[in-house]
Amino acid sequence: MIEFLKESTFAVNEVISKAWTVTKRNYFSIATLCFLMFITSNASGLMAFFLKDVSKGLSILMAFIFVMFYFTINLSLFKYIFHLLDDEDHDVSIVSTIPTRKQIIRFLVATLYFMLCIVGVYSIVVLIAFPFIYTGIKMEVITNVAISVGVIAIFITWIRISFFPFFIIDKDLPPFLSIKLSLATTKGNFTKIFLLLLVLLSFHLLYLFFSYIHWPVFSFFINILSSFIIVPLSSVALTIAYRKMMSEYKGDAEPDIIHNIV
């Protein structure tokens, strides 16, 4: 176990080191796309606030437009990073990385599959917990255990299948196959991905901690650092982690789900 953790930690350090090199070399272009995502997210919230009393139909339409715009920028960011990794010696235009309509549609369908998987996992936990109601155990205990187990199961499922956008953008694969390949390539890599996310989220956790103890100056500077450094770095690091897992993947081109769950 200790050797496994050492190997995992080394792999995470390698990913972060390469991500930092790529981010530093192309910081302004990557940060620009991240900033556009931030603006889109906040603008959609403001638009929903101003239109909520005007027209519900118009509010829904504008929300849909902003969601589509946000997803398009997000996919463009991943596609741009792929170009940076593949063409390190050439200039890459952001305009050339706009995803195709087919890729956007596939991403939306895969997102729906993703949500169904999350709901399905929690439903299975609830079904497993249901017979314990008749064992005489207090309902409060059963509920708390079921919620705790459900949250953990959802978190593991989220990590295992959340790499599906990379397969759509990088390999131009259909939605369900992208979900299955994400499940297959992350098999055996869960600890590495978890450690990577833990490192990337450390600044956000520090921000929450300083906000909780009411140190506004520290929390402000950590939030600024997280927004302008960690967010761009995270996008690059996850893309590199995907490429590393794909290079080490020895499974089938169309893996089944059952043999890749555990």
Side-chain angles (χ1 to χ4, degrees):
M1 176 59 70
I2 293 175
E3 290 300 321
F4 176 71
L5 289 174
K6 286 182 178 179
E7 181 186 346
S8 299
T9 304
F10 178 78
V12 170
N13 290 338
E14 184 182 342
V15 169
I16 292 178
S17 177
K18 186 173 182 180
W20 175 251
T21 302
V22 174
T23 304
K24 184 172 61 175
R25 187 182 304 159
N26 306 276
Y27 174 75
F28 288 104
S29 53
I30 296 173
T32 298
L33 288 169
C34 291
F35 182 71
L36 286 175
M37 291 171 59
F38 174 79
I39 291 295
T40 303
S41 176
N42 285 272
S44 63
L46 288 173
M47 188 65 68
F49 175 77
F50 287 117
L51 292 178
K52 66 179 182 179
D53 297 326
V54 178
S55 171
K56 190 173 182 179
L58 181 60
S59 179
I60 294 174
L61 176 62
M62 293 304 297
F64 175 77
I65 292 173
F66 274 108
V67 167
M68 291 296 295
F69 191 48
Y70 181 88
F71 284 156
T72 301
I73 299 173
N74 196 7
L75 295 176
S76 296
L77 174 62
F78 292 142
K79 197 170 184 178
Y80 180 69
I81 296 171
F82 280 131
H83 280 288
L84 292 177
L85 297 176
D86 296 335
D87 306 310
E88 293 185 1
D89 299 327
H90 299 84
D91 292 330
V92 181
S93 171
I94 295 179
V95 177
S96 65
T97 63
I98 297 175
T100 63
R101 181 170 58 184
K102 182 174 72 172
Q103 288 174 330
I104 295 174
I105 293 173
R106 284 180 170 179
F107 173 77
L108 293 174
V109 175
T111 302
L112 178 61
Y113 289 156
F114 177 86
M115 295 171 63
L116 289 175
C117 289
I118 297 296
V119 172
V121 167
Y122 192 76
S123 299
I124 291 172
V125 173
V126 171
L127 288 175
I128 293 174
F130 183 75
F132 288 93
I133 296 175
Y134 303 99
T135 60
I137 302 174
K138 291 183 179 180
M139 188 65 184
E140 183 180 356
V141 175
I142 296 174
T143 302
N144 291 335
V145 172
I147 291 175
S148 300
V149 173
V151 169
I152 294 172
I154 288 173
F155 176 72
I156 294 173
T157 305
W158 174 74
I159 289 182
R160 293 290 307 279
I161 64 178
S162 62
F163 283 83
F164 72 87
F166 297 109
F167 292 97
I168 295 173
I169 293 298
D170 187 37
K171 304 294 184 182
D172 202 26
L173 296 178
F176 194 60
L177 180 56
S178 299
I179 295 285
K180 291 197 295 182
L181 277 170
S182 179
L183 190 67
T185 53
T186 53
K187 182 181 179 181
N189 290 303
F190 179 83
T191 304
K192 298 175 185 178
I193 300 170
F194 177 73
L195 289 174
L196 178 61
L197 292 175
L198 195 61
V199 171
L200 295 175
L201 290 173
S202 59
F203 278 86
H204 184 67
L205 295 175
L206 282 175
Y207 166 75
L208 294 176
F209 172 73
F210 285 120
S211 297
Y212 178 75
I213 64 175
H214 303 291
W215 286 16
V217 176
F218 282 92
S219 60
F220 173 76
F221 281 109
I222 290 175
N223 190 33
I224 292 294
L225 183 63
S226 177
S227 300
F228 288 95
I229 302 295
I230 304 303
V231 172
L233 179 66
S234 300
S235 301
V236 180
L238 291 174
T239 308
I240 293 174
Y242 155 79
R243 274 289 171 86
K244 188 172 179 61
M245 288 190 297
M246 279 300 296
S247 66
E248 298 172 351
Y249 178 62
K250 306 298 182 184
D252 299 329
E254 292 199 19
D256 63 286
I257 295 177
I258 298 299
H259 291 89
N260 289 293
I261 290 178
V262 181

